[in-house]
PDB file of all heavy atoms in Angstrom:
ATOM      1  N   TYR A  24     138.027 104.514 -85.273  1.00 85.00           N
ATOM      2  CA  TYR A  24     136.976 104.052 -84.361  1.00 85.00           C
ATOM      3  C   TYR A  24     136.384 105.246 -83.606  1.00 85.00           C
ATOM      4  O   TYR A  24     135.161 105.340 -83.427  1.00 85.00           O
ATOM      5  CB  TYR A  24     137.546 103.041 -83.372  1.00 85.00           C
ATOM      6  CG  TYR A  24     136.512 102.415 -82.474  1.00 85.00           C
ATOM      7  CD1 TYR A  24     135.896 101.216 -82.819  1.00 85.00           C
ATOM      8  CD2 TYR A  24     136.153 103.015 -81.261  1.00 85.00           C
ATOM      9  CE1 TYR A  24     134.936 100.644 -82.001  1.00 85.00           C
ATOM     10  CE2 TYR A  24     135.185 102.454 -80.438  1.00 85.00           C
ATOM     11  CZ  TYR A  24     134.582 101.264 -80.809  1.00 85.00           C
ATOM     12  OH  TYR A  24     133.626 100.710 -79.995  1.00 85.00           O
ATOM     13  N   ALA A  25     137.241 106.154 -83.170  1.00 88.00           N
ATOM     14  CA  ALA A  25     136.770 107.334 -82.435  1.00 88.00           C
ATOM     15  C   ALA A  25     135.834 108.173 -83.296  1.00 88.00           C
ATOM     16  O   ALA A  25     134.778 108.634 -82.832  1.00 88.00           O
ATOM     17  CB  ALA A  25     137.969 108.165 -81.980  1.00 88.00           C
ATOM     18  N   LYS A  26     136.202 108.347 -84.546  1.00 88.00           N
ATOM     19  CA  LYS A  26     135.382 109.147 -85.455  1.00 88.00           C
ATOM     20  C   LYS A  26     134.041 108.473 -85.729  1.00 88.00           C
ATOM     21  O   LYS A  26     132.989 109.119 -85.732  1.00 88.00           O
ATOM     22  CB  LYS A  26     136.139 109.361 -86.768  1.00 88.00           C
ATOM     23  CG  LYS A  26     135.411 110.250 -87.763  1.00 88.00           C
ATOM     24  CD  LYS A  26     136.251 110.483 -89.007  1.00 88.00           C
ATOM     25  CE  LYS A  26     135.530 111.386 -90.000  1.00 88.00           C
ATOM     26  NZ  LYS A  26     136.346 111.602 -91.227  1.00 88.00           N
ATOM     27  N   GLU A  27     134.074 107.173 -85.916  1.00 83.00           N
ATOM     28  CA  GLU A  27     132.844 106.437 -86.247  1.00 83.00           C
ATOM     29  C   GLU A  27     131.884 106.372 -85.075  1.00 83.00           C
ATOM     30  O   GLU A  27     130.660 106.440 -85.250  1.00 83.00           O
ATOM     31  CB  GLU A  27     133.202 105.021 -86.705  1.00 83.00           C
ATOM     32  CG  GLU A  27     131.990 104.176 -87.082  1.00 83.00           C
ATOM     33  CD  GLU A  27     132.373 102.776 -87.530  1.00 83.00           C
ATOM     34  OE1 GLU A  27     133.584 102.500 -87.670  1.00 83.00           O
ATOM     35  OE2 GLU A  27     131.458 101.951 -87.726  1.00 83.00           O
ATOM     36  N   HIS A  28     132.417 106.247 -83.855  1.00 75.00           N
ATOM     37  CA  HIS A  28     131.567 106.016 -82.694  1.00 75.00           C
ATOM     38  C   HIS A  28     131.435 107.224 -81.774  1.00 75.00           C
ATOM     39  O   HIS A  28     130.783 107.127 -80.724  1.00 75.00           O
ATOM     40  CB  HIS A  28     132.100 104.822 -81.899  1.00 75.00           C
ATOM     41  CG  HIS A  28     132.053 103.528 -82.655  1.00 75.00           C
ATOM     42  ND1 HIS A  28     130.936 102.734 -82.724  1.00 75.00           N
ATOM     43  CD2 HIS A  28     133.002 102.904 -83.410  1.00 75.00           C
ATOM     44  CE1 HIS A  28     131.182 101.670 -83.474  1.00 75.00           C
ATOM     45  NE2 HIS A  28     132.434 101.750 -83.897  1.00 75.00           N
ATOM     46  N   GLY A  29     132.030 108.352 -82.147  1.00 81.00           N
ATOM     47  CA  GLY A  29     131.888 109.562 -81.359  1.00 81.00           C
ATOM     48  C   GLY A  29     132.553 109.492 -80.005  1.00 81.00           C
ATOM     49  O   GLY A  29     132.055 110.056 -79.022  1.00 81.00           O
ATOM     50  N   LYS A  30     133.687 108.810 -79.924  1.00 81.00           N
ATOM     51  CA  LYS A  30     134.422 108.671 -78.665  1.00 81.00           C
ATOM     52  C   LYS A  30     135.768 109.381 -78.763  1.00 81.00           C
ATOM     53  O   LYS A  30     136.219 109.741 -79.858  1.00 81.00           O
ATOM     54  CB  LYS A  30     134.618 107.197 -78.318  1.00 81.00           C
ATOM     55  CG  LYS A  30     133.308 106.446 -78.078  1.00 81.00           C
ATOM     56  CD  LYS A  30     133.565 105.023 -77.632  1.00 81.00           C
ATOM     57  CE  LYS A  30     132.267 104.277 -77.371  1.00 81.00           C
ATOM     58  NZ  LYS A  30     131.500 104.863 -76.245  1.00 81.00           N
ATOM     59  N   THR A  31     136.416 109.561 -77.619  1.00 85.00           N
ATOM     60  CA  THR A  31     137.748 110.157 -77.637  1.00 85.00           C
ATOM     61  C   THR A  31     138.763 109.109 -78.114  1.00 85.00           C
ATOM     62  O   THR A  31     138.481 107.910 -78.116  1.00 85.00           O
ATOM     63  CB  THR A  31     138.171 110.643 -76.238  1.00 85.00           C
ATOM     64  OG1 THR A  31     138.342 109.506 -75.374  1.00 85.00           O
ATOM     65  CG2 THR A  31     137.124 111.578 -75.643  1.00 85.00           C
ATOM     66  N   ILE A  32     139.927 109.613 -78.499  1.00 86.00           N
ATOM     67  CA  ILE A  32     140.999 108.702 -78.907  1.00 86.00           C
ATOM     68  C   ILE A  32     141.373 107.770 -77.757  1.00 86.00           C
ATOM     69  O   ILE A  32     141.596 106.569 -77.945  1.00 86.00           O
ATOM     70  CB  ILE A  32     142.244 109.494 -79.365  1.00 86.00           C
ATOM     71  CG1 ILE A  32     141.934 110.290 -80.650  1.00 86.00           C
ATOM     72  CG2 ILE A  32     143.415 108.557 -79.606  1.00 86.00           C
ATOM     73  CD1 ILE A  32     141.726 109.446 -81.876  1.00 86.00           C
ATOM     74  N   GLU A  33     141.440 108.328 -76.530  1.00 83.00           N
ATOM     75  CA  GLU A  33     141.784 107.513 -75.361  1.00 83.00           C
ATOM     76  C   GLU A  33     140.782 106.385 -75.157  1.00 83.00           C
ATOM     77  O   GLU A  33     141.160 105.224 -74.935  1.00 83.00           O
ATOM     78  CB  GLU A  33     141.822 108.389 -74.102  1.00 83.00           C
ATOM     79  CG  GLU A  33     142.980 109.376 -74.048  1.00 83.00           C
ATOM     80  CD  GLU A  33     142.836 110.307 -72.860  1.00 83.00           C
ATOM     81  OE1 GLU A  33     141.967 111.194 -72.907  1.00 83.00           O
ATOM     82  OE2 GLU A  33     143.590 110.131 -71.883  1.00 83.00           O
ATOM     83  N   GLN A  34     139.503 106.727 -75.207  1.00 83.00           N
ATOM     84  CA  GLN A  34     138.452 105.720 -75.031  1.00 83.00           C
ATOM     85  C   GLN A  34     138.532 104.657 -76.117  1.00 83.00           C
ATOM     86  O   GLN A  34     138.427 103.457 -75.844  1.00 83.00           O
ATOM     87  CB  GLN A  34     137.073 106.387 -75.066  1.00 83.00           C
ATOM     88  CG  GLN A  34     136.760 107.266 -73.875  1.00 83.00           C
ATOM     89  CD  GLN A  34     135.493 108.085 -74.077  1.00 83.00           C
ATOM     90  OE1 GLN A  34     135.124 108.431 -75.211  1.00 83.00           O
ATOM     91  NE2 GLN A  34     134.818 108.389 -72.986  1.00 83.00           N
ATOM     92  N   SER A  35     138.716 105.099 -77.337  1.00 87.00           N
ATOM     93  CA  SER A  35     138.741 104.173 -78.469  1.00 87.00           C
ATOM     94  C   SER A  35     139.926 103.225 -78.380  1.00 87.00           C
ATOM     95  O   SER A  35     139.795 102.022 -78.636  1.00 87.00           O
ATOM     96  CB  SER A  35     138.798 104.956 -79.787  1.00 87.00           C
ATOM     97  OG  SER A  35     137.665 105.786 -79.910  1.00 87.00           O
ATOM     98  N   ALA A  36     141.094 103.763 -78.020  1.00 89.00           N
ATOM     99  CA  ALA A  36     142.285 102.921 -77.886  1.00 89.00           C
ATOM    100  C   ALA A  36     142.065 101.854 -76.828  1.00 89.00           C
ATOM    101  O   ALA A  36     142.433 100.689 -77.016  1.00 89.00           O
ATOM    102  CB  ALA A  36     143.503 103.776 -77.540  1.00 89.00           C
ATOM    103  N   ARG A  37     141.443 102.235 -75.717  1.00 87.00           N
ATOM    104  CA  ARG A  37     141.204 101.270 -74.643  1.00 87.00           C
ATOM    105  C   ARG A  37     140.230 100.181 -75.083  1.00 87.00           C
ATOM    106  O   ARG A  37     140.450  98.998 -74.851  1.00 87.00           O
ATOM    107  CB  ARG A  37     140.656 101.984 -73.403  1.00 87.00           C
ATOM    108  CG  ARG A  37     140.476 101.058 -72.205  1.00 87.00           C
ATOM    109  CD  ARG A  37     139.867 101.766 -71.016  1.00 87.00           C
ATOM    110  NE  ARG A  37     139.869 100.910 -69.846  1.00 87.00           N
ATOM    111  CZ  ARG A  37     138.979  99.955 -69.622  1.00 87.00           C
ATOM    112  NH1 ARG A  37     138.008  99.731 -70.509  1.00 87.00           N
ATOM    113  NH2 ARG A  37     139.049  99.211 -68.531  1.00 87.00           N
ATOM    114  N   ILE A  38     139.143 100.593 -75.731  1.00 83.00           N
ATOM    115  CA  ILE A  38     138.147  99.611 -76.192  1.00 83.00           C
ATOM    116  C   ILE A  38     138.785  98.602 -77.137  1.00 83.00           C
ATOM    117  O   ILE A  38     138.623  97.384 -76.988  1.00 83.00           O
ATOM    118  CB  ILE A  38     136.976 100.338 -76.883  1.00 83.00           C
ATOM    119  CG1 ILE A  38     136.147 101.117 -75.856  1.00 83.00           C
ATOM    120  CG2 ILE A  38     136.085  99.332 -77.630  1.00 83.00           C
ATOM    121  CD1 ILE A  38     135.146 102.068 -76.478  1.00 83.00           C
ATOM    122  N   LEU A  39     139.526  99.103 -78.114  1.00 88.00           N
ATOM    123  CA  LEU A  39     140.133  98.212 -79.116  1.00 88.00           C
ATOM    124  C   LEU A  39     141.229  97.350 -78.506  1.00 88.00           C
ATOM    125  O   LEU A  39     141.393  96.184 -78.871  1.00 88.00           O
ATOM    126  CB  LEU A  39     140.687  99.044 -80.270  1.00 88.00           C
ATOM    127  CG  LEU A  39     139.634  99.810 -81.080  1.00 88.00           C
ATOM    128  CD1 LEU A  39     140.298 100.693 -82.130  1.00 88.00           C
ATOM    129  CD2 LEU A  39     138.652  98.854 -81.749  1.00 88.00           C
ATOM    130  N   ARG A  40     141.981  97.916 -77.572  1.00 91.00           N
ATOM    131  CA  ARG A  40     143.048  97.162 -76.907  1.00 91.00           C
ATOM    132  C   ARG A  40     142.456  95.981 -76.131  1.00 91.00           C
ATOM    133  O   ARG A  40     142.960  94.857 -76.213  1.00 91.00           O
ATOM    134  CB  ARG A  40     143.810  98.102 -75.970  1.00 91.00           C
ATOM    135  CG  ARG A  40     144.990  97.490 -75.271  1.00 91.00           C
ATOM    136  CD  ARG A  40     145.871  98.553 -74.652  1.00 91.00           C
ATOM    137  NE  ARG A  40     145.220  99.354 -73.628  1.00 91.00           N
ATOM    138  CZ  ARG A  40     144.891 100.642 -73.758  1.00 91.00           C
ATOM    139  NH1 ARG A  40     145.145 101.289 -74.878  1.00 91.00           N
ATOM    140  NH2 ARG A  40     144.317 101.300 -72.770  1.00 91.00           N
ATOM    141  N   TYR A  41     141.382  96.226 -75.399  1.00 85.00           N
ATOM    142  CA  TYR A  41     140.782  95.149 -74.626  1.00 85.00           C
ATOM    143  C   TYR A  41     140.089  94.117 -75.521  1.00 85.00           C
ATOM    144  O   TYR A  41     139.979  92.953 -75.151  1.00 85.00           O
ATOM    145  CB  TYR A  41     139.814  95.710 -73.583  1.00 85.00           C
ATOM    146  CG  TYR A  41     140.524  96.112 -72.303  1.00 85.00           C
ATOM    147  CD1 TYR A  41     141.097  97.372 -72.176  1.00 85.00           C
ATOM    148  CD2 TYR A  41     140.661  95.224 -71.244  1.00 85.00           C
ATOM    149  CE1 TYR A  41     141.771  97.746 -71.031  1.00 85.00           C
ATOM    150  CE2 TYR A  41     141.335  95.580 -70.091  1.00 85.00           C
ATOM    151  CZ  TYR A  41     141.892  96.843 -69.991  1.00 85.00           C
ATOM    152  OH  TYR A  41     142.566  97.205 -68.852  1.00 85.00           O
ATOM    153  N   ARG A  42     139.637  94.536 -76.665  1.00 81.00           N
ATOM    154  CA  ARG A  42     139.098  93.558 -77.620  1.00 81.00           C
ATOM    155  C   ARG A  42     140.192  92.572 -78.035  1.00 81.00           C
ATOM    156  O   ARG A  42     139.947  91.373 -78.166  1.00 81.00           O
ATOM    157  CB  ARG A  42     138.527  94.275 -78.848  1.00 81.00           C
ATOM    158  CG  ARG A  42     137.168  94.903 -78.637  1.00 81.00           C
ATOM    159  CD  ARG A  42     136.606  95.446 -79.940  1.00 81.00           C
ATOM    160  NE  ARG A  42     135.339  96.118 -79.734  1.00 81.00           N
ATOM    161  CZ  ARG A  42     134.658  96.743 -80.685  1.00 81.00           C
ATOM    162  NH1 ARG A  42     135.167  96.780 -81.928  1.00 81.00           N
ATOM    163  NH2 ARG A  42     133.513  97.316 -80.423  1.00 81.00           N
ATOM    164  N   VAL A  43     141.393  93.115 -78.262  1.00 88.00           N
ATOM    165  CA  VAL A  43     142.524  92.251 -78.611  1.00 88.00           C
ATOM    166  C   VAL A  43     142.830  91.288 -77.467  1.00 88.00           C
ATOM    167  O   VAL A  43     143.012  90.081 -77.668  1.00 88.00           O
ATOM    168  CB  VAL A  43     143.766  93.099 -78.954  1.00 88.00           C
ATOM    169  CG1 VAL A  43     145.016  92.214 -79.030  1.00 88.00           C
ATOM    170  CG2 VAL A  43     143.569  93.842 -80.271  1.00 88.00           C
ATOM    171  N   PHE A  44     142.881  91.818 -76.244  1.00 87.00           N
ATOM    172  CA  PHE A  44     143.172  90.964 -75.089  1.00 87.00           C
ATOM    173  C   PHE A  44     142.107  89.881 -74.930  1.00 87.00           C
ATOM    174  O   PHE A  44     142.427  88.717 -74.659  1.00 87.00           O
ATOM    175  CB  PHE A  44     143.242  91.806 -73.810  1.00 87.00           C
ATOM    176  CG  PHE A  44     144.324  92.860 -73.810  1.00 87.00           C
ATOM    177  CD1 PHE A  44     144.199  93.996 -73.020  1.00 87.00           C
ATOM    178  CD2 PHE A  44     145.462  92.722 -74.590  1.00 87.00           C
ATOM    179  CE1 PHE A  44     145.181  94.970 -73.007  1.00 87.00           C
ATOM    180  CE2 PHE A  44     146.455  93.683 -74.586  1.00 87.00           C
ATOM    181  CZ  PHE A  44     146.309  94.813 -73.790  1.00 87.00           C
ATOM    182  N   ASP A  45     140.834  90.274 -75.078  1.00 77.00           N
ATOM    183  CA  ASP A  45     139.743  89.297 -74.966  1.00 77.00           C
ATOM    184  C   ASP A  45     139.901  88.181 -76.001  1.00 77.00           C
ATOM    185  O   ASP A  45     139.670  87.011 -75.709  1.00 77.00           O
ATOM    186  CB  ASP A  45     138.385  89.983 -75.161  1.00 77.00           C
ATOM    187  CG  ASP A  45     137.967  90.814 -73.964  1.00 77.00           C
ATOM    188  OD1 ASP A  45     138.537  90.615 -72.875  1.00 77.00           O
ATOM    189  OD2 ASP A  45     137.078  91.674 -74.112  1.00 77.00           O
ATOM    190  N   LYS A  46     140.306  88.573 -77.211  1.00 79.00           N
ATOM    191  CA  LYS A  46     140.484  87.580 -78.271  1.00 79.00           C
ATOM    192  C   LYS A  46     141.627  86.627 -77.936  1.00 79.00           C
ATOM    193  O   LYS A  46     141.525  85.419 -78.171  1.00 79.00           O
ATOM    194  CB  LYS A  46     140.744  88.268 -79.608  1.00 79.00           C
ATOM    195  CG  LYS A  46     140.989  87.295 -80.771  1.00 79.00           C
ATOM    196  CD  LYS A  46     141.098  88.019 -82.090  1.00 79.00           C
ATOM    197  CE  LYS A  46     141.531  87.063 -83.205  1.00 79.00           C
ATOM    198  NZ  LYS A  46     140.652  85.885 -83.327  1.00 79.00           N
ATOM    199  N   CYS A  47     142.704  87.169 -77.382  1.00 85.00           N
ATOM    200  CA  CYS A  47     143.829  86.315 -76.992  1.00 85.00           C
ATOM    201  C   CYS A  47     143.397  85.301 -75.932  1.00 85.00           C
ATOM    202  O   CYS A  47     143.790  84.126 -75.979  1.00 85.00           O
ATOM    203  CB  CYS A  47     144.986  87.169 -76.465  1.00 85.00           C
ATOM    204  SG  CYS A  47     145.835  88.119 -77.744  1.00 85.00           S
ATOM    205  N   LEU A  48     142.587  85.747 -74.987  1.00 80.00           N
ATOM    206  CA  LEU A  48     142.079  84.840 -73.962  1.00 80.00           C
ATOM    207  C   LEU A  48     141.153  83.805 -74.579  1.00 80.00           C
ATOM    208  O   LEU A  48     141.240  82.610 -74.293  1.00 80.00           O
ATOM    209  CB  LEU A  48     141.345  85.632 -72.875  1.00 80.00           C
ATOM    210  CG  LEU A  48     142.215  86.499 -71.963  1.00 80.00           C
ATOM    211  CD1 LEU A  48     141.350  87.456 -71.148  1.00 80.00           C
ATOM    212  CD2 LEU A  48     143.054  85.627 -71.032  1.00 80.00           C
TER     213      LEU A  48
END
């Protein structure tokens, strides 16, 4: 995700993690 969207690993991990949480909700 970081490579595709030009973001840092930290940023990408957070974005994807919250997507998972949003889906659970």
Side-chain angles (χ1 to χ4, degrees):
Y24 185 93
K26 183 177 181 181
E27 180 180 353
H28 296 276
K30 297 185 179 296
T31 67
I32 294 291
E33 290 173 287
Q34 291 170 331
S35 300
R37 184 183 187 280
I38 290 169
L39 295 175
R40 183 166 62 250
Y41 275 86
R42 282 187 183 177
V43 168
F44 299 155
D45 286 343
K46 178 174 172 55
C47 289
L48 290 167

